Amino acid sequence: INRKLPSDKDQGVNFYNDVDNDDDQINDEEETCMGWLFPFCSPYNNLSIIAPTSVQKIEPKIFFANERTFLHWLHAGITLYTISAGILVFSDEDESDWAHWYAMALLPVSLGFCLYALHVFLWRADRIKTRIPGRWDDPRGPYILGGVIVLILLINFFTKLAQIWNYERTEL
């Protein structure tokens, strides 16, 4: 058995006999998800699983924090869904074309929030359960979801601004 002893830079013992971690072992065809978007599911993230040398103490508050974060992301998704459903229901008959497009653009974003929340919750729960050392957060996901919302709100703002401009021009 080829084992690597723990050193100052390692956190544990390598039990998978892959002491040489060459990045060229992974082909582009093996990448099953967008690793640049979700680094936690990228094959480039961690080629060998290193078991900790000592048992990490996981307190119950970590599980509750994961559930609380999941519920906050679900709340954001459901709030967006409620807003888009309200836009669909209360849109005026004359301007219903733009309101329908706007509401239908918000619906997939709200679904994306819910799916992102579920994905991160399950991923983080697995990392907590197996006590894998490393980062347990996703630094890019919130920026991408927030950027999509800002983009949709900017499109709505400029469209409404153009409608006001056209209405003012027809009044004169």
Side-chain angles (χ1 to χ4, degrees):
I1 295 175
N2 187 11
R3 292 190 184 183
K4 185 168 83 172
L5 295 175
S7 65
D8 292 337
K9 65 178 181 173
D10 294 330
Q11 296 294 322
V13 179
N14 186 349
F15 291 103
Y16 292 97
N17 299 330
D18 55 351
V19 177
D20 297 333
N21 291 335
D22 294 334
D23 288 342
D24 55 359
Q25 290 175 351
I26 298 177
N27 297 334
D28 289 336
E29 295 85 32
E30 292 180 16
E31 193 166 338
T32 58
C33 66
M34 296 183 290
W36 60 271
L37 182 59
F38 298 111
F40 45 80
C41 66
S42 172
Y44 297 103
N45 191 16
N46 191 5
L47 297 178
S48 65
I49 297 174
I50 298 177
T53 55
S54 64
V55 177
Q56 293 179 358
K57 183 178 178 185
I58 304 293
E59 298 180 6
K61 67 180 181 179
I62 294 176
F63 292 104
F64 295 134
N66 189 26
E67 291 175 5
R68 189 173 54 247
T69 305
F70 173 63
L71 291 175
H72 281 279
W73 279 101
L74 276 182
H75 184 274
I78 290 171
T79 302
L80 276 176
Y81 174 79
T82 305
I83 290 170
S84 65
I87 291 171
L88 278 174
V89 169
F90 295 114
S91 63
D92 190 17
E93 293 291 327
D94 298 334
E95 299 174 10
S96 64
D97 188 37
W98 168 247
H100 285 212
W101 280 103
Y102 180 64
M104 294 307 284
L106 278 179
L107 284 174
V109 173
S110 67
L111 180 64
F113 265 71
C114 294
L115 291 176
Y116 172 78
L118 179 65
H119 178 68
V120 169
F121 172 73
L122 293 175
W123 171 78
R124 205 175 275 154
D126 181 56
R127 292 194 52 115
I128 292 170
K129 183 177 71 174
T130 57
R131 300 176 181 178
I132 296 174
R135 291 188 68 156
W136 293 0
D137 64 334
D138 176 25
R140 294 185 190 115
Y143 288 119
I144 292 171
L145 290 173
V148 169
I149 289 178
V150 167
L151 180 70
I152 289 174
L153 289 175
L154 282 174
I155 291 171
N156 182 39
F157 174 75
F158 286 118
T159 304
K160 290 296 182 182
L161 196 62
Q163 286 177 353
I164 290 171
W165 178 263
N166 288 337
Y167 179 75
E168 298 252 340
R169 245 179 37 195
T170 58
E171 287 289 319
L172 295 176

